[in-house]
Amino acid sequence: MIYWDHAASTPPYDEVIQTMTEVMKKHYGNPSSIHRMGEDAARLIKRAREVCAASLHVKPPEVILTTGATEGNNMAIKGTAMQYGSRGKHIITTQIEHPSVYDSCLELEKHGYEVTYLPVDSKGMVNPSEVASTVRKDTILVSVMHVNNETGAVQPLAEIGQAVKQANPLTIFHIDGVQGFGKLPVQLEEWKADLYTLSAHKIRGPKGTGVLYKREGITLHPLLSGGKQESGLRAGTENIPGFVAMSKAMRMAAEQTDTFMREVGALKSALLAWIRKTPSLELNSFEEGAPHIVNVSFPGMKAEVLLHTLEEHGMLVSTKSACSSKTAEPSRVLLAMGRSGDAASSAIRISMGMTNTQQDLDRLLAALETAVNRLQPLRQEGMK
Amino acid sequence: MNYDMLLLRFGEFTLKGKNRNRFEKTVLTHVRSVLSSYPAAQIQKEYGRLYVALNGENASQLIEELKKIFGIISISPVVVCPSQLDKIVETSTSFLENLDLQKETTFKVTARRVWKAFPHPSQEMNHLVGSPLLKKFTMLKVSMKDPELQLRVEIREQGTYIYCEVIPAVGGFPRGSNGKGMLLLSGGIDSPVAGFTSMRRGLEVECVHFYSYPFTSLKAKEKVMELAKVLSGYAGEVKLHLVPFTEIQTSFTGLGQDNLIITLMRRSMLRIATMLAEREGALAIVTGDSLGQVASQTLSSMNVIGRTTDLPILRPLIMMDKSEIIDIAKRIGTYELSILPYEDCCTIFVPKSPATNPNLRIVESIEASLANLQTMLEEAVERTETVVLTPESMIEAAEDGIDEEWF
């Protein structure tokens, strides 16, 4: 089996697993306890927070430790809405966000907030000037992802951040950075980011851990009530082994970003070149996108069929995002890019990591070729 | 803008006739120690100022570090160009372009012809450089008196220095150039600020902290070490004396004089600090007292407390408001540490109504009734643990079982 689903989750680094095991075994104290074991646990959290902060070039108090991106995105969006609802009720996001952002916004609409879902062009990009003209006096939040999880499209965050702050300096700018960290340079200051979400299991860290960066001076209304952990922003006993291991994964991923871009980017270029030569396939990803995601449609063939055919050949890929791949609907992201229903229902996502090699890619290309040739005659237009 | 050099100006110590050399040498050593992590940078010394040639080192990073050097009052990033009129005008133009003027700005050029073989004298240069700039940048308005923007042009044989920004630096006297004092470091907001302001005046500071385990936690001790570590960033290194105070502090309880506990405690602290000063060769005691802030800082409390030592007690914050102290604490990076909520020896055994007007005679007679007070004080000094902290110090409680490899 060769794993081509790194945008869904990644194989943890051996070092991460080792850290998890050792810390879990040794430091089971509760960081809120005031005896020695509690203090040691608290010190581990403190150190983990420092390492996470250093990887993002921010200050340790600006790092909130979470259970992952779903929590981070919910906390960023709902927490901002609840905190700053008296300032305004308008929120801007895009049509291509991850469900944890998109559905949070849908939820807020039920509570009297007004949400603008910005369209994207055929390459899946948001237009910064459209952001600029949409921000209003009562816009409290703009939420845009760094890298799209289905197509790998990279948003022009510096321009968008500039546009947001120029139009309304009080508007909070949130970035869902889940698919970008470790894959592309992250420049929170240049982007003018106020909030930035990260998940550890996408960067070879443990599941159930993540970071929400919250710029100094921004207040969020907590979603969980209880203890005073995370400065009162997130009640609940800290996941000590998880957070320590996450800090290690973040440090390693940040240090390896250049290598990732170079090595995985080379695999992607080769894959793109092969797909371009195959007339029955339509690309939804582009050279200028993130180095690890290739989304391709095989119009007329349900994505699941291609996926299972590839699986027979030992290639594990995915359809849409893992979080919505079990629903049978066409991809909302691809429809937003103006793709046909056929194209949006037949797309698979191949997402790569540093554990993939050139030999892996050769096998993938062979498998793709066989699968496409076999399924080609069975295609139906306007399929359901 | 790519700067070539930094110009560092010395502060008031340049007025001090005979000691000036010693002061300058101290600053130079300090600058050198900062530059050691920027190997390409080179120092050029001149009368009353220093130039640091960057040779490709990062200007803004270096400015951030050099700004903290005591004795330097301001820093200007400098661009160097060949000493030819057209090059000087060209460089000045790109210098102003880089400033990206958005509103009307008063302006003048101040040229200084150090190299007398240069064909245009200083006055003439002001015009030769100024007029093309005025033509190009419409936001500029000439003002000879107190302009917002002053472009300095220093013409030297080896090249012309152009600069306009004057970045304020910390000022004060070179570090350690004005003797040594013992700082009572509690863990609160004030004492680290008192330490910093003393250091800025050239005082070498050794910190004294009193702990009362188990009434105070190990975290409180760790916090004080962190504070001393921040201070060491300004001094290179800082000595911290950790004095066990439990026995002395508890001996003052149960005397039926709870309202005097703070007074008695402070007097003992001063006595211990004085003994340590003698041992370390320090000539003053520094405290974070601010007049009237708490019961022990009223004038009559300070009178009763201060009588226990013959050394001068320096109170740099005495006439400052809390908000001013907090501002400095935030700026020097001690505030966030100071507000960590751990009990220290000054916050335990605090009576409901501490005396704001203690009676010296009663205090003295209580102390006289404690036969072993002097022994306890001497023992405390003996059992004092001394650690040296530097900005690189790793502060961890002993054997915490934390492996740095995990991160």
Side-chain angles (χ1 to χ4, degrees):
Chain A
M1 286 288 177
I2 300 175
Y3 187 75
W4 298 101
D5 202 10
H6 289 80
S9 199
T10 52
Y13 292 110
D14 291 342
E15 295 92 325
V16 162
I17 297 172
Q18 194 182 340
T19 294
M20 278 290 267
T21 321
E22 290 176 13
V23 176
M24 197 167 186
K25 196 163 185 167
K26 209 162 174 181
H27 292 279
Y28 48 83
N30 187 323
S32 299
S33 298
I34 59 172
H35 51 63
R36 177 176 295 238
M37 281 197 68
E39 286 181 4
D40 288 352
R43 203 172 293 118
L44 279 169
I45 296 285
K46 177 173 173 245
R47 186 81 190 99
R49 193 186 309 280
E50 284 168 4
V51 174
C52 294
S55 302
L56 288 170
H57 306 289
V58 300
K59 299 178 196 155
E62 296 178 320
V63 167
I64 305 168
L65 303 170
T66 66
T67 57
T70 293
E71 187 190 347
N73 284 336
N74 270 268
M75 195 199 276
I77 292 164
K78 294 177 186 167
T80 300
M82 286 162 83
Q83 182 68 32
Y84 296 104
S86 56
R87 198 186 270 175
K89 299 244 181 219
H90 183 229
I91 291 169
I92 298 172
T93 187
T94 78
Q95 294 177 354
I96 58 159
E97 295 302 310
H98 184 269
S100 59
V101 168
Y102 196 83
D103 292 5
S104 289
C105 290
L106 289 178
E107 177 73 20
L108 286 173
E109 282 190 279
K110 291 185 205 152
H111 293 277
Y113 289 83
E114 184 191 340
V115 182
T116 305
Y117 300 91
L118 292 174
V120 292
D121 64 14
S122 62
K123 288 194 163 183
M125 306 271 285
V126 176
N127 184 347
S129 62
E130 202 153 351
V131 179
S133 60
T134 314
V135 175
R136 317 188 303 220
K137 229 175 143 179
D138 63 339
T139 306
I140 48 174
L141 175 72
V142 174
S143 179
V144 178
M145 67 197 334
H146 181 195
V147 171
N148 182 266
N149 50 307
E150 291 189 33
T151 66
V154 179
Q155 301 305 328
L157 293 176
E159 288 83 358
I160 293 173
Q162 172 86 11
V164 171
K165 296 294 173 183
Q166 215 154 46
N168 184 350
L170 288 179
T171 303
I172 289 170
F173 184 30
H174 167 244
I175 295 168
D176 172 2
V178 170
Q179 297 289 355
F181 188 85
K183 277 84 181 183
L184 290 169
V186 171
Q187 293 156 307
L188 298 183
E189 204 180 322
E190 195 187 316
W191 297 341
K192 302 192 171 17
D194 298 307
L195 300 165
Y196 175 82
T197 310
L198 204 81
S199 171
H201 78 100
K202 309 281 193 193
I203 52 167
R204 309 186 65 186
K207 289 180 182 59
T209 58
V211 157
L212 175 63
Y213 156 76
K214 179 180 77 67
R215 191 172 58 74
E216 204 173 24
I218 304 268
T219 313
L220 292 179
H221 193 282
L223 301 186
L224 300 178
S225 310
K228 291 284 165 251
Q229 289 90 350
E230 300 304 302
S231 314
L233 277 166
R234 189 195 180 281
T237 301
E238 296 89 339
N239 176 356
I240 301 164
F243 289 150
V244 175
M246 167 171 71
S247 75
K248 182 164 203 106
M250 278 180 71
R251 187 177 57 70
M252 291 175 76
E255 283 168 9
Q256 291 171 7
T257 304
D258 288 346
T259 320
F260 189 100
M261 288 168 71
R262 194 175 55 245
E263 289 182 1
V264 180
L267 295 179
K268 177 191 160 185
S269 298
L271 180 55
L272 287 183
W274 184 87
I275 294 171
R276 274 197 213 98
K277 286 190 307 196
T278 311
S280 50
L281 297 180
E282 286 177 16
L283 267 178
N284 303 311
S285 297
F286 306 92
E287 200 65 58
E288 61 269 33
H292 65 306
I293 297 179
V294 171
N295 188 303
V296 56
S297 294
F298 188 27
M301 182 55 59
K302 262 175 67 178
E304 286 75 7
V305 180
L306 181 55
L307 180 144
H308 289 309
T309 312
L310 288 170
E311 189 172 2
E312 277 177 9
H313 290 86
M315 300 294 136
L316 303 182
V317 302
S318 77
T319 63
K320 298 195 269 183
S321 80
C323 298
S324 43
S325 57
K326 286 185 181 154
T327 58
E329 295 184 353
S331 155
R332 160 169 59 79
V333 174
L334 296 181
L335 290 178
M337 286 165 68
R339 297 292 189 271
S340 66
D342 269 0
S345 304
S346 64
I348 59 163
R349 177 186 69 185
I350 300 161
S351 52
M352 301 166 281
M354 289 223 280
T355 48
N356 293 126
T357 62
Q358 183 59 47
Q359 287 76 17
D360 291 352
L361 186 73
D362 294 341
R363 288 180 57 192
L364 174 68
L365 296 183
L368 269 171
E369 184 152 26
T370 317
V372 168
N373 288 340
R374 193 175 123 202
L375 297 174
Q376 184 94 345
L378 306 172
R379 289 189 301 160
Q380 289 175 292
E381 263 182 51
M383 56 162 190
K384 275 279 172 219
Chain B
M1 192 96 200
N2 278 328
Y3 294 109
D4 301 301
M5 288 202 303
L6 300 178
L7 161 57
L8 279 49
R9 294 181 195 79
F10 294 148
E12 60 184 281
F13 68 81
T14 49
L15 305 172
K16 308 280 173 245
K18 279 185 192 151
N19 284 322
R20 179 186 170 129
N21 258 340
R22 179 168 65 88
F23 287 142
E24 282 196 5
K25 233 186 227 163
T26 315
V27 175
L28 207 59
T29 316
H30 199 164
V31 172
R32 278 211 186 92
S33 73
V34 168
L35 291 184
S36 63
S37 17
Y38 300 84
Q42 278 176 327
I43 301 179
Q44 297 161 27
K45 205 176 149 300
E46 258 187 46
Y47 193 79
R49 49 171 70 171
L50 282 180
Y51 290 98
V52 174
L54 291 166
N55 298 323
E57 299 287 4
N58 183 317
S60 54
Q61 267 179 27
L62 201 47
I63 290 171
E64 276 316 302
E65 293 202 43
L66 293 171
K67 257 164 83 172
K68 294 189 197 165
I69 293 182
F70 298 128
I72 291 175
I73 50 163
S74 67
I75 299 176
S76 294
V78 179
V79 173
V80 184
C81 72
S83 290
Q84 295 158 17
L85 182 58
D86 53 337
K87 295 282 186 225
I88 294 172
V89 172
E90 192 183 304
T91 311
S92 304
T93 310
S94 63
F95 206 109
L96 285 187
E97 254 162 17
N98 196 55
L99 291 179
D100 192 21
L101 300 169
Q102 296 291 351
K103 57 175 184 56
E104 190 167 290
T105 308
T106 53
F107 163 80
K108 81 170 173 185
V109 175
T110 309
R112 198 157 72 94
R113 184 179 61 162
V114 182
W115 178 40
K116 297 301 175 199
F118 187 75
H120 311 282
S122 304
Q123 279 301 324
E124 196 183 320
M125 276 306 280
N126 290 345
H127 289 285
L128 289 173
V129 177
S131 53
L133 292 178
L134 286 168
K135 227 172 272 165
K136 187 162 166 61
F137 301 98
T138 47
M139 293 289 185
L140 294 177
K141 291 281 167 291
V142 177
S143 164
M144 286 301 129
K145 232 170 118 187
D146 202 18
E148 290 163 276
L149 185 72
Q150 186 166 185
L151 188 77
R152 314 259 190 170
V153 177
E154 289 182 17
I155 304 148
R156 291 153 190 269
E157 188 169 4
Q158 69 275 28
T160 294
Y161 300 173
I162 299 171
Y163 57 92
C164 72
E165 213 181 339
V166 179
I167 301 162
V170 65
F173 274 81
R175 71 176 176 196
S177 61
N178 273 334
K180 180 155 77 178
M182 307 302 277
L183 167 72
L184 303 190
L185 187 65
S186 64
I189 295 169
D190 300 346
S191 49
V193 175
F196 168 78
T197 41
S198 312
M199 287 157 83
R200 201 176 77 123
R201 249 354 241 180
L203 192 72
E204 183 187 344
V205 166
E206 289 190 13
C207 307
V208 183
H209 175 73
F210 299 88
Y211 67 93
S212 288
Y213 195 76
F215 298 98
T216 61
S217 68
L218 289 175
K219 272 192 176 169
K221 201 162 138 186
E222 227 175 274
K223 166 180 161 182
V224 160
M225 291 172 78
E226 292 282 0
L227 283 170
K229 178 178 155 176
V230 174
L231 290 179
S232 77
Y234 297 94
E237 62 170 47
V238 155
K239 249 192 205 178
L240 170 65
H241 304 282
L242 295 155
V243 185
F245 202 55
T246 319
E247 223 182 316
I248 297 170
Q249 200 164 6
T250 48
S251 75
F252 297 139
T253 60
L255 298 173
Q257 295 284 3
D258 282 359
N259 60 334
L260 288 175
I261 282 185
I262 304 285
T263 315
L264 292 161
M265 207 175 85
R266 304 286 299 179
R267 281 168 63 93
S268 287
M269 287 178 175
L270 276 189
R271 289 198 179 97
I272 292 172
T274 308
M275 290 189 248
L276 287 169
E278 209 162 292
R279 193 181 82 187
E280 303 290 325
L283 293 180
I285 289 170
V286 183
T287 74
D289 293 337
S290 169
L291 186 61
Q293 196 186 116
V294 290
S296 64
Q297 296 172 18
T298 61
L299 199 54
S300 43
S301 277
M302 283 192 288
N303 173 36
V304 172
I305 294 165
R307 280 172 192 262
T308 44
T309 183
D310 294 329
L311 291 176
I313 301 178
L314 306 178
R315 299 180 169 98
L317 313 183
I318 192 70
M319 296 307 175
M320 277 167 92
D321 283 357
K322 193 75 182 182
S323 58
E324 298 170 274
I325 300 172
I326 288 175
D327 283 348
I328 302 178
K330 284 184 175 161
R331 220 176 53 228
I332 64 174
T334 56
Y335 182 76
E336 294 297 327
L337 286 168
S338 288
I339 58 172
L340 291 174
Y342 312 130
E343 296 268 27
D344 62 50
C345 57
C346 303
T347 60
I348 53 171
F349 303 118
V350 175
K352 267 206 196 89
S353 52
T356 51
N357 188 12
N359 183 316
L360 180 61
R361 261 184 302 159
I362 296 179
V363 169
E364 280 174 343
S365 69
I366 295 173
E367 284 175 350
S369 75
L370 294 166
N372 58 345
L373 182 60
Q374 187 56 32
T375 328
M376 285 196 291
L377 293 172
E378 280 160 19
E379 260 175 32
V381 171
E382 218 156 275
R383 284 169 46 220
T384 293
E385 192 192 328
T386 300
V387 286
V388 177
L389 292 156
T390 68
E392 285 76 39
S393 293
M394 293 291 293
I395 295 158
E396 269 163 26
E399 290 172 54
D400 59 6
I402 291 176
D403 185 348
E404 192 52 27
E405 284 293 304
W406 289 339
F407 296 92

